[in-house]
PDB file of all heavy atoms in Angstrom:
ATOM      1  N   MET A 399      72.245  83.301 138.608  1.00 91.00           N
ATOM      2  CA  MET A 399      71.664  82.035 138.126  1.00 91.00           C
ATOM      3  C   MET A 399      70.174  82.100 138.088  1.00 91.00           C
ATOM      4  O   MET A 399      69.511  82.666 138.956  1.00 91.00           O
ATOM      5  CB  MET A 399      72.102  80.880 139.036  1.00 91.00           C
ATOM      6  CG  MET A 399      73.478  80.369 138.737  1.00 91.00           C
ATOM      7  SD  MET A 399      73.892  78.897 139.715  1.00 91.00           S
ATOM      8  CE  MET A 399      75.423  78.343 138.852  1.00 91.00           C
ATOM      9  N   LYS A 400      69.590  81.469 137.092  1.00 83.00           N
ATOM     10  CA  LYS A 400      68.121  81.449 136.924  1.00 83.00           C
ATOM     11  C   LYS A 400      67.458  80.552 137.940  1.00 83.00           C
ATOM     12  O   LYS A 400      66.342  80.798 138.358  1.00 83.00           O
ATOM     13  CB  LYS A 400      67.760  80.958 135.510  1.00 83.00           C
ATOM     14  CG  LYS A 400      68.215  81.899 134.404  1.00 83.00           C
ATOM     15  CD  LYS A 400      67.812  81.286 133.029  1.00 83.00           C
ATOM     16  CE  LYS A 400      68.266  82.171 131.902  1.00 83.00           C
ATOM     17  NZ  LYS A 400      67.889  81.579 130.576  1.00 83.00           N
ATOM     18  N   GLN A 401      68.164  79.441 138.298  1.00 84.00           N
ATOM     19  CA  GLN A 401      67.527  78.406 139.127  1.00 84.00           C
ATOM     20  C   GLN A 401      68.601  77.519 139.774  1.00 84.00           C
ATOM     21  O   GLN A 401      69.683  77.440 139.275  1.00 84.00           O
ATOM     22  CB  GLN A 401      66.564  77.568 138.304  1.00 84.00           C
ATOM     23  CG  GLN A 401      67.288  76.826 137.144  1.00 84.00           C
ATOM     24  CD  GLN A 401      66.371  76.046 136.256  1.00 84.00           C
ATOM     25  OE1 GLN A 401      65.191  75.935 136.542  1.00 84.00           O
ATOM     26  NE2 GLN A 401      66.890  75.490 135.180  1.00 84.00           N
ATOM     27  N   SER A 402      68.209  76.886 140.819  1.00 91.00           N
ATOM     28  CA  SER A 402      69.046  75.842 141.353  1.00 91.00           C
ATOM     29  C   SER A 402      68.774  74.518 140.577  1.00 91.00           C
ATOM     30  O   SER A 402      67.744  74.355 140.013  1.00 91.00           O
ATOM     31  CB  SER A 402      68.800  75.589 142.873  1.00 91.00           C
ATOM     32  OG  SER A 402      67.420  75.242 143.057  1.00 91.00           O
ATOM     33  N   LYS A 403      69.773  73.648 140.583  1.00 93.00           N
ATOM     34  CA  LYS A 403      69.616  72.451 139.766  1.00 93.00           C
ATOM     35  C   LYS A 403      70.615  71.382 140.248  1.00 93.00           C
ATOM     36  O   LYS A 403      71.712  71.668 140.617  1.00 93.00           O
ATOM     37  CB  LYS A 403      69.920  72.797 138.303  1.00 93.00           C
ATOM     38  CG  LYS A 403      69.697  71.667 137.293  1.00 93.00           C
ATOM     39  CD  LYS A 403      69.944  72.162 135.904  1.00 93.00           C
ATOM     40  CE  LYS A 403      69.715  71.045 134.837  1.00 93.00           C
ATOM     41  NZ  LYS A 403      70.002  71.524 133.492  1.00 93.00           N
ATOM     42  N   GLN A 404      70.108  70.108 140.201  1.00 95.00           N
ATOM     43  CA  GLN A 404      71.061  69.031 140.451  1.00 95.00           C
ATOM     44  C   GLN A 404      71.331  68.298 139.137  1.00 95.00           C
ATOM     45  O   GLN A 404      70.400  67.888 138.422  1.00 95.00           O
ATOM     46  CB  GLN A 404      70.494  68.053 141.488  1.00 95.00           C
ATOM     47  CG  GLN A 404      71.508  66.901 141.796  1.00 95.00           C
ATOM     48  CD  GLN A 404      71.103  65.983 142.867  1.00 95.00           C
ATOM     49  OE1 GLN A 404      70.197  65.164 142.724  1.00 95.00           O
ATOM     50  NE2 GLN A 404      71.728  66.108 144.028  1.00 95.00           N
ATOM     51  N   LEU A 405      72.592  68.149 138.847  1.00 97.00           N
ATOM     52  CA  LEU A 405      73.038  67.410 137.656  1.00 97.00           C
ATOM     53  C   LEU A 405      73.211  65.943 137.968  1.00 97.00           C
ATOM     54  O   LEU A 405      73.461  65.584 139.108  1.00 97.00           O
ATOM     55  CB  LEU A 405      74.328  68.017 137.127  1.00 97.00           C
ATOM     56  CG  LEU A 405      74.333  69.546 136.835  1.00 97.00           C
ATOM     57  CD1 LEU A 405      75.746  69.961 136.520  1.00 97.00           C
ATOM     58  CD2 LEU A 405      73.408  69.885 135.663  1.00 97.00           C
ATOM     59  N   GLU A 406      73.208  65.129 136.961  1.00 97.00           N
ATOM     60  CA  GLU A 406      73.566  63.705 137.103  1.00 97.00           C
ATOM     61  C   GLU A 406      75.077  63.640 137.155  1.00 97.00           C
ATOM     62  O   GLU A 406      75.751  64.637 137.443  1.00 97.00           O
ATOM     63  CB  GLU A 406      72.975  62.897 135.970  1.00 97.00           C
ATOM     64  CG  GLU A 406      71.445  62.872 135.916  1.00 97.00           C
ATOM     65  CD  GLU A 406      70.854  62.263 137.143  1.00 97.00           C
ATOM     66  OE1 GLU A 406      71.375  61.247 137.661  1.00 97.00           O
ATOM     67  OE2 GLU A 406      69.799  62.765 137.619  1.00 97.00           O
ATOM     68  N   ILE A 407      75.647  62.479 136.897  1.00 98.00           N
ATOM     69  CA  ILE A 407      77.110  62.343 136.894  1.00 98.00           C
ATOM     70  C   ILE A 407      77.673  63.111 135.687  1.00 98.00           C
ATOM     71  O   ILE A 407      77.315  62.964 134.560  1.00 98.00           O
ATOM     72  CB  ILE A 407      77.489  60.867 136.784  1.00 98.00           C
ATOM     73  CG1 ILE A 407      76.881  60.050 137.929  1.00 98.00           C
ATOM     74  CG2 ILE A 407      79.033  60.689 136.772  1.00 98.00           C
ATOM     75  CD1 ILE A 407      77.272  60.475 139.325  1.00 98.00           C
ATOM     76  N   ILE A 408      78.654  63.972 136.008  1.00 98.00           N
ATOM     77  CA  ILE A 408      79.362  64.708 134.959  1.00 98.00           C
ATOM     78  C   ILE A 408      80.803  64.201 134.953  1.00 98.00           C
ATOM     79  O   ILE A 408      81.187  63.326 135.708  1.00 98.00           O
ATOM     80  CB  ILE A 408      79.282  66.217 135.154  1.00 98.00           C
ATOM     81  CG1 ILE A 408      80.043  66.683 136.436  1.00 98.00           C
ATOM     82  CG2 ILE A 408      77.822  66.700 135.187  1.00 98.00           C
ATOM     83  CD1 ILE A 408      80.160  68.194 136.531  1.00 98.00           C
ATOM     84  N   HIS A 409      81.626  64.802 134.047  1.00 98.00           N
ATOM     85  CA  HIS A 409      83.027  64.389 133.939  1.00 98.00           C
ATOM     86  C   HIS A 409      83.960  65.563 134.298  1.00 98.00           C
ATOM     87  O   HIS A 409      83.610  66.736 134.122  1.00 98.00           O
ATOM     88  CB  HIS A 409      83.314  63.931 132.529  1.00 98.00           C
ATOM     89  CG  HIS A 409      82.651  62.643 132.179  1.00 98.00           C
ATOM     90  ND1 HIS A 409      81.332  62.617 131.737  1.00 98.00           N
ATOM     91  CD2 HIS A 409      83.024  61.353 132.196  1.00 98.00           C
ATOM     92  CE1 HIS A 409      80.992  61.355 131.490  1.00 98.00           C
ATOM     93  NE2 HIS A 409      82.017  60.572 131.794  1.00 98.00           N
ATOM     94  N   LEU A 410      85.134  65.220 134.813  1.00 98.00           N
ATOM     95  CA  LEU A 410      86.095  66.243 135.214  1.00 98.00           C
ATOM     96  C   LEU A 410      86.398  67.195 134.071  1.00 98.00           C
ATOM     97  O   LEU A 410      86.572  68.417 134.314  1.00 98.00           O
ATOM     98  CB  LEU A 410      87.396  65.551 135.715  1.00 98.00           C
ATOM     99  CG  LEU A 410      88.245  66.378 136.651  1.00 98.00           C
ATOM    100  CD1 LEU A 410      87.535  66.627 138.012  1.00 98.00           C
ATOM    101  CD2 LEU A 410      89.603  65.678 136.908  1.00 98.00           C
ATOM    102  N   GLU A 411      86.470  66.667 132.881  1.00 98.00           N
ATOM    103  CA  GLU A 411      86.835  67.489 131.675  1.00 98.00           C
ATOM    104  C   GLU A 411      85.727  68.477 131.317  1.00 98.00           C
ATOM    105  O   GLU A 411      85.904  69.317 130.392  1.00 98.00           O
ATOM    106  CB  GLU A 411      87.269  66.615 130.547  1.00 98.00           C
ATOM    107  CG  GLU A 411      86.172  65.690 129.978  1.00 98.00           C
ATOM    108  CD  GLU A 411      86.219  64.324 130.636  1.00 98.00           C
ATOM    109  OE1 GLU A 411      86.668  64.174 131.767  1.00 98.00           O
ATOM    110  OE2 GLU A 411      85.740  63.343 129.989  1.00 98.00           O
ATOM    111  N   ASP A 412      84.553  68.338 131.938  1.00 98.00           N
ATOM    112  CA  ASP A 412      83.468  69.298 131.632  1.00 98.00           C
ATOM    113  C   ASP A 412      83.592  70.618 132.379  1.00 98.00           C
ATOM    114  O   ASP A 412      82.936  71.595 132.006  1.00 98.00           O
ATOM    115  CB  ASP A 412      82.095  68.659 132.044  1.00 98.00           C
ATOM    116  CG  ASP A 412      81.721  67.433 131.259  1.00 98.00           C
ATOM    117  OD1 ASP A 412      82.161  67.350 130.057  1.00 98.00           O
ATOM    118  OD2 ASP A 412      80.990  66.579 131.774  1.00 98.00           O
ATOM    119  N   ILE A 413      84.413  70.672 133.402  1.00 98.00           N
ATOM    120  CA  ILE A 413      84.448  71.840 134.259  1.00 98.00           C
ATOM    121  C   ILE A 413      85.106  73.053 133.598  1.00 98.00           C
ATOM    122  O   ILE A 413      84.570  74.155 133.619  1.00 98.00           O
ATOM    123  CB  ILE A 413      85.066  71.481 135.612  1.00 98.00           C
ATOM    124  CG1 ILE A 413      84.156  70.494 136.333  1.00 98.00           C
ATOM    125  CG2 ILE A 413      85.299  72.726 136.496  1.00 98.00           C
ATOM    126  CD1 ILE A 413      84.743  69.854 137.578  1.00 98.00           C
ATOM    127  N   ALA A 414      86.251  72.836 132.974  1.00 98.00           N
ATOM    128  CA  ALA A 414      86.897  73.986 132.292  1.00 98.00           C
ATOM    129  C   ALA A 414      86.036  74.538 131.147  1.00 98.00           C
ATOM    130  O   ALA A 414      85.906  75.765 131.034  1.00 98.00           O
ATOM    131  CB  ALA A 414      88.290  73.529 131.732  1.00 98.00           C
ATOM    132  N   PRO A 415      85.378  73.714 130.309  1.00 98.00           N
ATOM    133  CA  PRO A 415      84.544  74.330 129.279  1.00 98.00           C
ATOM    134  C   PRO A 415      83.327  75.041 129.875  1.00 98.00           C
ATOM    135  O   PRO A 415      82.872  76.022 129.253  1.00 98.00           O
ATOM    136  CB  PRO A 415      84.051  73.061 128.481  1.00 98.00           C
ATOM    137  CG  PRO A 415      85.110  72.076 128.683  1.00 98.00           C
ATOM    138  CD  PRO A 415      85.595  72.286 130.087  1.00 98.00           C
ATOM    139  N   SER A 416      82.840  74.634 131.031  1.00 98.00           N
ATOM    140  CA  SER A 416      81.755  75.336 131.697  1.00 98.00           C
ATOM    141  C   SER A 416      82.188  76.748 132.089  1.00 98.00           C
ATOM    142  O   SER A 416      81.462  77.718 131.888  1.00 98.00           O
ATOM    143  CB  SER A 416      81.287  74.599 132.946  1.00 98.00           C
ATOM    144  OG  SER A 416      80.818  73.316 132.568  1.00 98.00           O
ATOM    145  N   ILE A 417      83.387  76.862 132.658  1.00 98.00           N
ATOM    146  CA  ILE A 417      83.926  78.154 133.027  1.00 98.00           C
ATOM    147  C   ILE A 417      84.227  78.990 131.793  1.00 98.00           C
ATOM    148  O   ILE A 417      83.933  80.219 131.751  1.00 98.00           O
ATOM    149  CB  ILE A 417      85.175  77.979 133.920  1.00 98.00           C
ATOM    150  CG1 ILE A 417      84.793  77.366 135.260  1.00 98.00           C
ATOM    151  CG2 ILE A 417      85.933  79.298 134.096  1.00 98.00           C
ATOM    152  CD1 ILE A 417      85.985  76.922 136.093  1.00 98.00           C
TER     153      ILE A 417
END
Side-chain angles (χ1 to χ4, degrees):
M399 279 185 168
K400 294 179 182 179
Q401 60 184 353
S402 59
K403 184 178 181 180
Q404 184 174 72
L405 306 172
E406 296 299 320
I407 303 300
I408 66 171
H409 292 83
L410 202 68
E411 62 269 26
D412 294 332
I413 294 171
S416 300
I417 292 170

